[in-house]
Amino acid sequence: MRLVLLGPPGAGKGTQARILREKFEIPQIASGDLLRAAVKEKTPLGREAQGFMDRGQLVPDELVLKMIAERIAQEDARIGFILDGFPRSVAQAEALAKMLGASGVALDKVIAVDVPDEELVKRISGRRTCTKCGAMYHVAFEPPKEAGLCDKCGGELYQREDDAEETVRERLKVYAATTRPLIEYYGRIGILAQIDGVGKPEDVERRLLAGLN
Ligand code: AMP
């Protein structure tokens, strides 16, 4: 199964993608995670991408497309994948269709997760991630037992640089202008399901699975 999870930053794409990954045993490919790893390792890609990411802007297509093409060509993605954070524009969606078409495959479904802007800002500004294992918390909605430390591995929690409120607002603007048009694009192709992303993760999961069927 080849899926795309579409939605604004903070809509819960990462959480839902992890649930689907376990359920369908296909890899979750999160463009933001791949880019953050490249920044951390100071690879040529990471050095070029960092400034755009810090400003909440999109990393140029030529960098992102090459990164995604390499990732979906890997063995584990042959049976399927969940794309999270990619594509983020109609140009990227067209490039993806070409990439997949060259291997004789296509996307099966695109799930768009909808959450109102004010809720997104609240969710993102409280978001914290474990430096060691990547587990996610929220200072108000899902706090760790001990402030600043991961329940699972004891690692230190950090706030993503681009999760600061001003950058979040810029990311939401970029989403509305560049990424949201994908809802219409995939709607026209006929593989889109739109779901409400407000509520508990298990409620959103139920809607998502219903959308897949
Ligand atoms: P995310 O973790 O998906 O919110 O992505 C974090 C940042 O990485 C974004 O604000 C962009 O700067 C960059 N990024 C992630 N995915 C893409 C993409 N598909 N195209 C361009 N930039 C991206």
Side-chain angles (χ1 to χ4, degrees), residues 9-10 13 30-33 35-36 49 52-54 56-61 64 67-68 84-89 92 127 160 162-163 171:
K13 299 188 296 294
S31 48
D33 288 350
L35 288 167
R36 277 185 291 281
F52 296 98
M53 295 172 74
D54 287 347
Q57 293 165 353
L58 293 186
V59 173
D61 280 357
V64 174
M67 175 185 86
I68 293 291
D84 156 10
F86 178 91
R88 253 177 159 92
S89 65
Q92 289 187 359
R127 185 156 80 170
R160 270 171 53 176
D162 60 348
D163 277 354
R171 287 161 67 202

Side-chain angles (χ1 to χ4, degrees), residues 37-56:
V39 168
K40 201 169 164 193
E41 287 161 25
K42 298 193 164 61
T43 66
L45 165 66
R47 284 178 211 272
E48 284 202 63
Q50 183 164 24
F52 296 98
M53 295 172 74
D54 287 347
R55 291 191 296 274

Side-chain angles (χ1 to χ4, degrees), residues 4 6 31 58-62 64-65 85-97 174-183 185-186:
V4 166
L6 193 65
S31 48
L58 293 186
V59 173
D61 280 357
E62 68 266 24
V64 174
L65 292 174
F86 178 91
R88 253 177 159 92
S89 65
V90 171
Q92 289 187 359
E94 286 170 344
L96 173 65
V174 171
Y175 176 80
T178 312
T179 310
R180 195 179 285 144
L182 283 177
I183 294 179
Y185 173 86
Y186 283 121

Side-chain angles (χ1 to χ4, degrees), residues 26-178:
I26 47 178
Q28 167 198 13
I29 300 178
S31 48
D33 288 350
L34 294 174
L35 288 167
R36 277 185 291 281
V39 168
K40 201 169 164 193
E41 287 161 25
K42 298 193 164 61
T43 66
L45 165 66
R47 284 178 211 272
E48 284 202 63
Q50 183 164 24
F52 296 98
M53 295 172 74
D54 287 347
R55 291 191 296 274
Q57 293 165 353
L58 293 186
V59 173
D61 280 357
E62 68 266 24
L63 299 175
V64 174
L65 292 174
K66 182 164 175 278
M67 175 185 86
I68 293 291
E70 285 172 3
R71 181 62 189 89
I72 60 179
Q74 285 174 19
E75 185 62 30
D76 66 337
R78 274 191 26 197
I79 51 158
F81 49 72
I82 304 149
L83 284 171
D84 156 10
F86 178 91
R88 253 177 159 92
S89 65
V90 171
Q92 289 187 359
E94 286 170 344
L96 173 65
K98 244 194 209 164
M99 249 180 243
L100 296 175
S103 315
V105 296
L107 289 177
D108 296 298
K109 199 95 195 174
V110 175
I111 308 265
V113 186
D114 190 37
V115 176
D117 276 10
E118 280 320 304
E119 164 94 11
L120 293 171
V121 174
K122 255 191 263 166
R123 284 189 189 183
I124 301 181
S125 50
R127 185 156 80 170
R128 300 289 182 274
T129 311
C130 175
T131 43
K132 268 201 205 154
C133 74
M136 310 259 295
Y137 297 87
H138 189 284
V139 291
F141 310 142
E142 209 190 333
K145 289 195 187 84
E146 202 174 327
L149 293 180
C150 178
D151 292 349
K152 297 188 178 107
C153 75
E156 226 173 281
L157 304 185
Y158 77 105
Q159 179 179 34
R160 270 171 53 176
E161 193 110 5
D162 60 348
D163 277 354
E165 184 164 340
E166 201 181 314
T167 317
V168 171
R169 297 217 180 258
E170 175 63 21
R171 287 161 67 202
L172 291 176
K173 255 195 243 160
V174 171
Y175 176 80
T178 312

